[in-house]
Amino acid sequence: MSDTTDYLKQLEGALQQGDATEHTHRPALKALLELLDSTINATNEPKRQACGAPDYIIMRGQVPVGFIEAKDIGVGLDAVERGEQMGRYLPALGNLILTDYLEFRWYVNGERVAAARLATVGLRGKLIPVAGGADEVTALLQNFLRADPPTVADARELAGRMARITQLLCEVVEKWLGTENAHGKLHGLMASFKESLLHDLTDAQFADMYAQTICYGLFAARINFSGPGKFTRESAPYLLPKTNPFLRDIFSMIAAPSLSDEPYVWIVDNLALLLDRSDIAACMEGFGRGTAQTDPVLHFYESFLAAYDPKMRELRGVYYTPEPVVSYIVRSVDQLLKSDFGLPQGLADSSSTQVDGVDVHRVLILDPATGTGTFLRRVIEQIYGTFTGNQGMWNDYVGRHLLPRIFGFELLMAPYAIAHLKLALQLQETGYDINAEEQRLNIFLTNSLEEGKNTAEQLSTVHALKEEANKAGKVKGDSPVMVVLGNPPYSGHSANTGKWIKDLLHGRDGKGKSTGNYFMVDGQPLGERNPKWLNDDYVKFIRFAQWRIEQTGYGVLAFISNNGYLDNPTFRGMRQSLLQTFDDIYLLDLHGNGKKKEKTPDGGKDENVFDIQQGVAIGIFVKRQGKNTAPAKLHKADLWGTRADKYRQLAELDVTNTEWTELAPESPRFMFVTQDLALWNEYESYWKVTEIMPVNVLGFQTHRDDWAIDFDEKVILDRFNRLKQLDYLSIHQYLQEYHLKNNGIWNIEKAKQGVADIEISDYVTKVLYRPFDYRYCFYHPSAVDAPRNVIVDNVVGRKNLCINLVRQTKMTSWQHVLASDIPVAAIGVEIKDGSTLFPLYLYPNSKAKMQVILDNVVAETQAEYTAGRRANLAPAFIEALSAKTGL
């Protein structure tokens, strides 16, 4: 009771002086807390608060107890509780108090569990105690200080709580980058990353990498922590093996005691406490069983990233490969090395070859998108299986013939860290002493799709990072890699847009050598208006791997990837290039396309081997030594059915006992699928629709349909009239309300400028959004990223008819055609495949800019309204039609 009495006197004295703020009362609350529990220290650090930390961080020794956010006396806590700041704290901080120094609200794991008021404010700053308030507040604070964090024993809960702490850490680090001295540690580390890894790295992207590395790195360390004592951030660096000097340098800097002066250390310590209180064995028990992922640490990262940033998961293609798939690929490569290259030891072969007069290992193995090391782990397991109990021979082999032959590239810091840790632990489990010699694992933090260049000049402030880039560059460009395998990311909206990989896709390798051009077929351009899917990340990785095998002159490429390249018309140049490079191609289509609702040939259930919608296929490409003079032999097989059934078959099969069917792809499509060619000649004898109606275009795309399109015309009018009137402070709220995000193509400021001097109603038009689904669209560049000039000039506001078709479908029957007299969306005919619009008539005076001919402008006569238009029919077709009909 006396503690709170003295506390109220201090508050009252400050209030009666007349110039008190929330900062004035902080010493009084700190003193009260430390009187209630002499074992704690209530830290009040302005530098940390400037970066988004709560006002008080309560520590007991090196362990965080809880957090307190304090507002000035009289501030309404209801509004604060609902505000942005508490929205960040509540999900991430398990033990938190919000107070105005008189009322105290206590939250555990985001839920308010208690509240108590000590006093109210009377006239002239007089504090009036609330009956029973002293006892209630004292009990609340004591319970807060004594709270023992609950043990987490559920993998999903742990992944979610880790993700929320990581989000908070990312925000705080980004804010600190904006306030830190230009020569501070973080800026130096970020500069090194930009020089050696990601040249266009932003503060936000670096903060994300940094936060993920700390958080998941601590988790990986906790997996391998057995005590004694508590797990803390200081424990983590000692669990990292010497096989990765770079990671040891980085992780020591961000997780060791040297971090104690940084303004975000409180978050790292809070995560360490969560992990210390987690029953890791219970969390990991059975985890990943449903996707045949036997290593829980590797699979857990997918769940963590899905909770932390699902869009990043999609952008970087983070989907972990089921063990039966990995096993099939690795065992198949092992068999092909034995059968096609005369290497009886397969992947374990330690023979050498000469390159520029120097002996190097022949079977160099690269996973260019290694993630957490799933494929390389299985390679090591396959090789270890060839040794029969001779530990001394194995130890010698690892140092001399295994570590120098296995390479992995990874772009994301967290999986990179895990790959090193897991592979080192795997080798340790085989009996190899990973700390006996300073020999690193050749897993490099690099971007496979950027050109490998040495960074000899002393640019990087982190020497180990520069060395990382130099060694990775040598493997990319010079080392005679014989095996490239893995699971490259699938991302149609690729984040890898560098010049080098773009040139490689177009047949330019930067070394003056002739190489396949994915944008050409039979020596002619594809002629595709929108070949965007050729820029998918998985295509770029296949192109990189193909080029890497071409540089060596022989080898095996084995990927599991999106199966769209097997039959999509846009990929015919890619298919021809692969046929010209390799001698044998083995394609095991695993199907499972949820978007197309694929079924087995007998109509049964067909499931994906991943938790994704896109169908996948295993592609194994073999190039033997010597120049091939004929297209590759194409071997094709299909796996249908449930996920469990596919896993079972993959575990039992490899390339030698899969039932292959040999196909003979023909120009100009070079299809990698089985086709019924009985009626092919008859089909080819007819006119193509694109030859009949040469002016055609993919339907329009807004890329923000929920904002630009609505069922109600008035809603659209109101929405965009409001955009015209937004002031600076309202723009952020408007973005949040409609879930809009600025990007490199579109931003709200330009959109607002674009509508400033127009009449909104002039640009609202009816559209066919989906089959028989009519809506209204604000058809203006401020809202529509791809309005399509063909549609603007000939359909919007015009009298016209259009045929809308899809180019390709996997449906059993073709029924994909719609007629319309208004604009049609890009997926207006079928939800998966883009629909092409063919206008029946073309109007003169095409506009470079959008100019709508309004429906309310009534022409004097129909002839005037349609004056000058002509049929969208090719002259050759009209001539041929006239010859047949006599018209």
Side-chain angles (χ1 to χ4, degrees):
M1 181 74 73
S2 60
D3 294 340
T4 57
T5 300
D6 292 342
Y7 170 71
L8 284 177
K9 285 181 179 178
Q10 293 182 58
L11 297 186
E12 187 175 74
L15 284 172
Q16 290 177 343
Q17 290 179 4
D19 58 352
T21 67
E22 65 176 83
H23 299 276
T24 308
H25 309 305
R26 287 180 179 176
L29 181 54
K30 173 180 169 65
L32 173 63
L33 293 166
E34 293 176 353
L35 279 171
L36 290 172
D37 187 337
S38 61
T39 67
I40 63 98
N41 178 38
T43 303
N44 180 245
E45 174 56 67
K47 181 172 72 170
R48 290 176 181 170
Q49 290 151 21
C51 290
D55 295 299
Y56 297 86
I57 300 170
I58 314 302
M59 301 290 292
R60 183 174 286 116
Q62 298 299 313
V63 178
V65 173
F67 305 88
I68 298 178
E69 180 60 29
K71 301 300 179 185
D72 199 7
I73 292 174
V75 170
L77 296 187
D78 287 343
V80 176
E81 189 178 62
R82 295 190 299 268
E84 178 270 337
Q85 185 182 42
M86 290 295 284
R88 291 187 291 114
Y89 291 162
L90 286 173
L93 306 179
N95 193 27
L96 174 68
I97 280 179
L98 171 64
T99 182
D100 65 353
Y101 294 98
L102 297 178
E103 180 186 358
F104 294 81
R105 300 181 179 185
W106 179 27
Y107 308 85
V108 176
N109 292 334
E111 299 291 332
R112 194 205 295 188
V113 296
R117 176 171 284 279
L118 192 57
T120 59
V121 182
L123 296 175
R124 292 183 294 279
K126 181 71 175 176
L127 294 182
I128 304 169
V130 172
D135 290 337
E136 291 180 5
V137 168
T138 298
L140 182 150
L141 291 175
Q142 287 175 334
N143 289 333
F144 163 74
L145 295 172
R146 295 169 185 165
D148 195 10
T151 299
V152 178
D154 177 76
R156 188 179 299 276
E157 179 186 354
L158 180 59
R161 290 183 63 180
M162 280 179 57
R164 291 189 288 271
I165 294 174
T166 310
Q167 288 165 347
L168 182 61
L169 177 59
C170 181
E171 292 172 7
V172 171
V173 168
E174 184 179 0
K175 191 169 185 178
W176 181 233
L177 284 170
T179 59
E180 189 191 11
N181 182 282
H183 301 291
K185 293 179 183 177
L186 274 184
H187 280 290
L189 185 59
M190 180 175 167
S192 297
F193 271 71
K194 291 182 74 170
E195 291 163 9
S196 302
L197 184 63
L198 293 168
H199 307 303
D200 56 351
L201 190 67
T202 65
D203 285 1
Q205 290 168 333
F206 176 75
D208 169 71
M209 293 176 67
Y210 191 80
Q212 279 201 60
T213 302
I214 291 177
C215 289
Y216 207 83
L218 282 175
F219 169 75
R222 175 65 181 88
I223 289 287
N224 297 283
F225 178 76
S226 57
K230 287 184 172 293
F231 174 77
T232 65
R233 62 180 166 86
E234 290 88 351
S235 311
Y238 303 103
L239 296 170
L240 296 174
K242 294 179 181 179
T243 47
N244 184 5
F246 166 71
L247 191 61
R248 286 171 66 91
D249 285 353
I250 297 296
F251 211 77
S252 294
M253 178 164 50
I254 64 181
S258 60
L259 187 66
S260 58
D261 292 334
E262 301 298 337
Y264 44 85
V265 65
W266 56 278
I267 308 178
V268 182
D269 286 332
N270 189 48
L271 175 62
L273 177 63
L274 169 67
L275 292 170
D276 181 63
R277 294 291 300 171
S278 296
D279 184 340
I280 295 296
C283 286
M284 295 296 102
E285 185 177 359
F287 194 79
R289 189 176 294 154
T291 53
Q293 172 56 262
T294 59
D295 189 326
V297 179
L298 306 186
H299 189 73
F300 185 86
Y301 179 62
E302 182 175 356
S303 294
F304 164 78
L305 192 57
Y308 170 66
D309 188 350
K311 289 190 175 179
M312 174 61 75
R313 181 179 186 268
E314 179 180 353
L315 184 65
R316 292 298 184 188
V318 182
Y319 296 99
Y320 287 96
T321 317
E323 179 61 28
V325 174
V326 180
S327 175
Y328 179 95
I329 290 175
V330 171
R331 285 182 291 107
S332 293
V333 171
D334 188 58
Q335 290 293 335
L336 287 167
L337 292 178
K338 295 173 181 177
S339 63
D340 287 38
F341 295 91
L343 301 172
Q345 297 301 311
L347 287 167
D349 182 87
S350 59
S351 64
S352 297
T353 185
Q354 281 214 337
V355 177
D356 297 330
V358 178
D359 283 338
V360 297
H361 284 96
R362 189 178 183 198
V363 184
L364 300 183
I365 304 158
L366 169 66
D367 182 347
T370 201
T372 55
T374 304
F375 276 86
L376 295 183
R377 190 170 186 268
R378 184 64 182 83
V379 167
I380 293 173
E381 184 179 325
Q382 179 75 22
I383 294 172
Y384 182 62
T386 65
F387 284 77
T388 55
N390 190 328
Q391 191 62 50
M393 183 181 294
W394 170 249
N395 289 342
D396 179 67
Y397 176 86
V398 171
R400 294 179 57 195
H401 301 300
L402 179 65
L403 295 181
R405 294 195 298 114
I406 295 180
F407 303 92
F409 296 162
E410 178 50 43
L411 179 61
L412 299 179
M413 274 287 287
Y416 164 84
I418 299 162
H420 269 278
L421 186 60
K422 292 302 299 181
L423 295 182
L425 289 172
Q426 180 191 14
L427 290 172
Q428 197 168 22
E429 289 167 2
T430 67
Y432 178 72
D433 186 355
I434 58 174
N435 292 311
E437 298 182 26
E438 298 287 334
Q439 188 171 6
R440 67 162 293 158
L441 283 165
N442 289 311
I443 313 296
F444 299 110
L445 188 66
T446 189
N447 187 344
S448 296
L449 303 183
E450 285 194 0
E451 185 177 11
K453 291 182 178 178
N454 287 339
T455 315
E457 56 271 26
Q458 297 295 323
L459 292 174
S460 179
T461 58
V462 178
H463 179 73
L465 187 57
K466 184 188 67 180
E467 287 299 307
E468 195 85 352
N470 287 345
K471 290 178 179 179
K474 182 173 178 61
V475 177
K476 286 181 191 178
D478 302 325
S479 297
V481 173
M482 185 178 182
V483 174
V484 184
L485 81 178
N487 174 17
Y490 324 155
S491 179
H493 301 285
S494 174
N496 296 294
T497 57
K499 181 180 183 300
W500 182 76
I501 189 61
K502 182 179 179 181
D503 284 348
L504 195 58
L505 286 171
H506 286 82
R508 302 183 294 269
D509 74 344
K511 295 185 176 183
K513 293 183 179 179
S514 175
T515 187
N517 185 342
Y518 284 10
F519 290 81
M520 302 279 285
V521 67
D522 290 337
Q524 299 298 318
L526 286 177
E528 297 285 344
R529 285 199 183 94
N530 186 25
K532 62 174 287 187
W533 298 116
L534 278 174
N535 290 305
D536 194 302
D537 274 343
Y538 87 91
V539 177
K540 293 176 179 177
F541 272 91
I542 290 175
R543 188 66 193 90
F544 163 77
Q546 176 188 359
W547 171 80
R548 183 54 271 173
I549 296 295
E550 287 174 327
Q551 299 306 298
T552 301
Y554 54 89
V556 181
L557 160 57
F559 277 167
I560 180 167
S561 71
N562 183 322
N563 65 3
Y565 75 98
L566 302 184
D567 62 352
N568 190 306
T570 307
F571 293 80
R572 58 193 187 277
M574 174 185 178
R575 293 191 289 268
Q576 184 180 36
S577 175
L578 292 169
L579 288 166
Q580 291 172 341
T581 295
F582 294 98
D583 298 300
D584 281 283
I585 296 176
Y586 299 89
L587 298 172
L588 180 56
D589 194 344
L590 301 180
H591 297 282
N593 193 314
K595 293 181 179 179
K596 293 183 181 295
K597 297 181 173 60
E598 277 194 292
K599 293 185 181 299
T600 65
D602 60 4
K605 188 176 185 179
D606 186 60
E607 294 180 321
N608 201 304
V609 295
F610 293 91
D611 290 327
I612 61 174
Q613 292 288 303
Q614 173 59 50
V616 296
I618 293 173
I620 302 177
F621 305 82
V622 180
K623 179 177 176 58
R624 290 181 284 275
Q625 203 153 7
K627 184 176 179 61
N628 62 328
T629 57
K633 290 183 180 179
L634 183 63
H635 313 270
K636 179 71 172 18
D638 300 89
L639 278 190
W640 300 94
T642 65
R643 175 182 289 184
D645 192 46
K646 290 178 181 179
Y647 286 165
R648 179 187 58 78
Q649 292 185 71
L650 287 167
E652 295 171 354
L653 298 172
D654 60 43
V655 72
T656 65
N657 57 6
T658 301
E659 293 186 11
W660 302 107
T661 298
E662 192 165 325
L663 305 182
E666 295 183 358
S667 176
R669 291 173 176 81
F670 299 103
M671 301 290 274
F672 282 6
V673 294
T674 304
Q675 294 178 282
D676 182 358
L677 300 178
L679 300 176
W680 184 256
N681 291 335
E682 181 181 353
Y683 174 80
E684 284 287 285
S685 69
Y686 290 95
W687 287 76
K688 298 177 184 176
V689 180
T690 51
E691 294 174 348
I692 297 171
M693 305 178 77
V695 176
N696 53 79
V697 70
L698 185 70
F700 74 88
Q701 294 172 290
T702 74
H703 296 136
R704 51 194 67 84
D705 291 356
D706 290 345
W707 176 61
I709 299 173
D710 198 273
F711 288 103
D712 192 331
E713 182 177 15
K714 185 177 183 303
V715 168
I716 292 292
L717 290 169
D718 292 345
R719 185 176 294 167
F720 287 92
N721 276 315
R722 180 181 164 201
L723 175 63
K724 290 180 66 172
Q725 299 162 9
L726 289 179
D727 58 31
Y728 178 77
L729 295 176
S730 303
I731 286 179
H732 181 69
Q733 181 182 349
Y734 188 88
L735 283 169
Q736 288 187 319
E737 181 178 344
Y738 294 107
H739 306 290
L740 300 171
K741 288 189 176 181
N742 293 329
N743 55 45
I745 299 174
W746 182 92
N747 69 68
I748 193 70
E749 290 284 357
K750 288 183 179 179
K752 177 175 164 51
Q753 293 171 11
V755 301
D757 299 319
I758 67 170
E759 183 63 42
I760 297 297
S761 60
D762 289 354
Y763 292 85
V764 178
T765 189
K766 198 173 186 179
V767 298
L768 184 61
Y769 186 64
R770 298 288 185 266
F772 313 109
D773 179 355
Y774 295 96
R775 305 189 191 188
Y776 291 89
C777 177
F778 181 58
Y779 214 94
H780 186 277
S782 290
V784 181
D785 281 355
R788 316 294 187 205
N789 284 338
V790 169
I791 299 176
V792 172
D793 294 339
N794 302 293
V795 184
V796 179
R798 302 281 193 180
K799 292 291 184 183
N800 213 336
L801 285 174
C802 307
I803 299 174
N804 300 276
L805 306 169
V806 295
R807 185 175 186 181
Q808 179 188 33
T809 180
K810 285 193 170 78
M811 302 295 284
T812 55
S813 61
W814 190 84
Q815 50 193 10
H816 300 76
V817 57
L818 283 175
S820 70
D821 58 358
I822 54 177
V824 180
I827 52 175
V829 175
E830 183 180 275
I831 193 65
K832 174 63 176 74
D833 294 303
S835 57
T836 301
L837 178 146
F838 296 79
L840 181 58
Y841 296 105
L842 302 178
Y843 281 82
N845 304 319
S846 294
K847 283 74 175 175
K849 296 182 179 179
M850 185 180 303
Q851 181 178 346
V852 176
I853 302 175
L854 303 173
D855 286 337
N856 61 3
V857 177
V858 181
E860 293 183 4
T861 67
Q862 178 68 17
E864 182 181 334
Y865 197 94
T866 60
R869 73 179 187 181
R870 62 179 177 85
N872 178 25
L873 298 174
F877 174 74
I878 295 174
E879 183 178 340
L881 185 64
S882 298
K884 280 185 176 292
T885 62
L887 298 177

